[in-house]
Amino acid sequence: MEESHLSQLRDRFRHELSDVDVWILDIPDDYGFMDSELVTLIEAAMEEVLAA
């Protein structure tokens, strides 16, 4: 998800997201479904999020 995606989600689901943590992983939307490189990027980004 990129910053623009989060803005769209907040515009559309403001009330539902009021008590939800959402992380922007800064991974571009250039990958196909379950692309192995995408999975690797998500795993690495989530390690950082979960360590915090």
Side-chain angles (χ1 to χ4, degrees), residues 1 25-29 31-50:
M1 175 173 0
L25 302 178
D26 287 323
I27 297 173
D29 196 14
Y31 299 93
F33 179 72
M34 296 304 293
D35 182 305
S36 61
E37 185 177 351
L38 172 62
V39 172
T40 300
L41 290 170
I42 292 171
E43 288 174 341
M46 288 308 300
E47 283 181 18
E48 294 177 22
V49 169
L50 294 174

